């Protein structure tokens, strides 16, 4: 469910025509819908009604300050995976107590930043990290609230590159080692054990892997309590999938029901870290068609957006629905089309052989479900400036990240002394 739909033959984001935004900000740009963000946050929250639950939005899915603040004002905390994301969450107005710091490789500087900010929970992924955190916290005379991320060795049956809970993945502490790590944690100064964390992957479209992982974690909570640890928070991570193009992931309500069954009677505050399911289809990437050509019998449409703007198709073989901003006639003939970006890589392809209505140069296309892992993964490859981001709310729209300029792209670079100045220096 989203708020991008045709009205009188034109694609609207809520009450604003996408073509009007394109005329104002240029292309390509990401367009986010406030109503859709609110809707998904509410649906997720409703699914957890009656549970003692905290929702910490996974900032890495979409780190725009305006998106984080929209969710923070609805009551969300934040799950962050770097010092940069921590600063974003704080800047957007998330209360420090509502911030969870995840990630397999937090640097000492990042841990120190988080301790000084007084965040709510560190999800620690190794005994080494625990030792670092202990030293830093003890030196400050504070206690870090810690959950250990346990790797339950469950296959989430999603794309290889976003599977995180199998034994061979780099994440967490292998579940058979959990008791040992907790025993060490309990003996360290500056560490206050508060819970257990798990996160098995992203774009998960079945309940069974979640259930298997959560059952294992609930067993571990029992063992840890028997060992004398005060486990009062259970962080179940994120990962619930969204429909990109025909997938049928479980609904938040079905997910919530399963969580209720598996955790019933456990007496823990539950923490959730949803990212994609909140922001995924709250965004589209709007791009203008540069050229249409016929290549060895195939129709090839070249966009002004590329893999540097939206990496998911090249990185994850993701299939995003793509629709023209002008509604095609009901009887328009659909022909297979390759939809590609201008980057000098054969992998810069958004769709291959996709049945599409007729498309011509200067048409606008919207690449759907680009709100999660879109702008955040963009780069300057081919020295393309970062695209603009726009937030719509009802009939209002504003730029929430302006397009980068070429001058800004070059500003971090400098000539070394031996290349600075006249071109004949050193030539002899
Ligand atoms: C990426 C991530 C999330 C969010 O995953 P989604 O699939 O976007 O819901 C949550 N927790 C952790 C630890 C993550 O790394």
């Amino acid at each position: 469910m989203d708020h991008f739909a045709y009205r009188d033959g034109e694609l609207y984001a809520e009450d604003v025509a996408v073509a009007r935004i394109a005329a104002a900000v240029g292309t390509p740009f990401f367009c986010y819908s406030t109503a859709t963000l609110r809707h998904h946050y509410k649906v997720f929250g409703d699914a957890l009604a009656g549970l003692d639950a905290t929702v910490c939005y996974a900032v890495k899915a979409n780190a725009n300050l305006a998106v984080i603040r929209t969710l923070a004002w609805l009551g969300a905390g934040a799950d962050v995976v770097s010092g940069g994301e921590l600063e974003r969450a704080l800047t957007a107005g998330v209360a420090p107590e509502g911030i969870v710091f995840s990630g397999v490789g937090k640097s000492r500087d990042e841990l120190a930043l988080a301790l000084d900010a007084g965040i709510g929970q560190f999800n620690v992924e190794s005994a080494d990290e625990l030792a670092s955190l202990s030293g830093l916290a003890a030196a400050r005379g504070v206690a870090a609230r810690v959950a250990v991320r346990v790797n339950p060795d469950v296959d989430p049956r999603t794309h290889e590159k976003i599977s995180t809970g199998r034994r061979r993945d780099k994440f967490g502490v292998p579940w058979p080692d959990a008791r040992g790590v907790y025993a060490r944690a309990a003996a360290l100064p500056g560490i206050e054990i508060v819970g257990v964390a798990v996160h098995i992957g992203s774009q998960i479209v079945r309940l069974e892997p979640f259930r298997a992982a959560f059952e294992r974690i609930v067993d571990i909570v029992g063992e840890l309590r028997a060992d004398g640890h005060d486990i009062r928070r259970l962080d179940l991570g994120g990962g619930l999938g969204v429909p990109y193009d025909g997938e049928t992931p479980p609904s938040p309500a079905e997910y919530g029901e399963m969580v209720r069954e598996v955790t019933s009677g456990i007496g823990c505050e539950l923490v959730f870290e949803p990212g994609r399911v909140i922001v995924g289809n709250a965004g589209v990437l709007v791009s203008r068609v540069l050229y249409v050509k016929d290549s060895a019998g195939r129709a090839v449409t070249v966009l002004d957006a590329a893999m540097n703007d939206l990496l998911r198709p090249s990185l994850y073989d993701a299939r995003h629905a793509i629709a023209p901003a002008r509604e095609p006639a009901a009887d328009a003939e659909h022909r297979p089309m390759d939809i590609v970006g201008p980057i000098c890589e054969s992998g810069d392809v958004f769709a291959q052989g996709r049945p599409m209505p007729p498309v011509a140069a200067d048409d606008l296309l919207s690449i759907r479900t680009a709100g999660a892992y879109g702008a955040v993964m963009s780069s300057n490859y081919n020295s393309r400036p970062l695209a603009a981001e726009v937030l719509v709310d009802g009939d209002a729209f504003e730029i929430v990240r302006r397009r980068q300029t070429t001058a800004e792209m070059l500003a971090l670079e400098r000539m070394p002394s031996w290349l600075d100045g006249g071109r004949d220096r050193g030539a002899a």
Side-chain angles (χ1 to χ4, degrees), residues 304-381:
D304 65 1
M307 64 189 279
N308 76 298
D309 302 302
L310 180 66
L311 188 58
R312 299 193 67 261
S314 339
L315 187 60
Y316 306 129
D317 311 302
R319 211 183 130 92
H320 287 252
I322 301 177
R326 183 166 302 129
E327 188 173 18
D331 60 351
E333 193 183 344
H334 283 58
R335 292 232 167 113
M337 185 183 288
D338 292 357
I339 302 173
V340 308
I343 283 185
C344 305
E345 292 264 355
S346 301
D348 184 22
V349 172
F350 291 114
Q352 221 155 11
R354 179 77 57 89
M356 290 289 292
V359 168
D362 287 335
D363 284 359
L364 291 171
L365 293 187
S366 69
I367 303 178
R368 310 296 302 269
T369 321
Y373 306 103
V376 283
M377 296 184 101
S378 58
S379 77
N380 285 135
Y381 189 36

Side-chain angles (χ1 to χ4, degrees), residues 56-61 79-81 100-103 123 125 149 162 164 171 198-199 201-204 235-241 272-279 372-373:
C56 293
Y57 164 63
V59 167
K60 80 172 185 288
D79 170 58
V80 302
V81 295
V100 174
F101 196 173
S102 299
N123 287 353
E125 301 213 13
R149 177 170 174 180
I162 45 178
T164 62
F171 297 97
V198 65
H199 172 74
S202 195
Q203 185 54 16
I204 298 168
D235 182 338
L236 297 178
L240 191 56
F272 297 87
E273 303 168 349
R276 190 189 308 268
V277 75
I278 306 292
V279 294
Y373 306 103

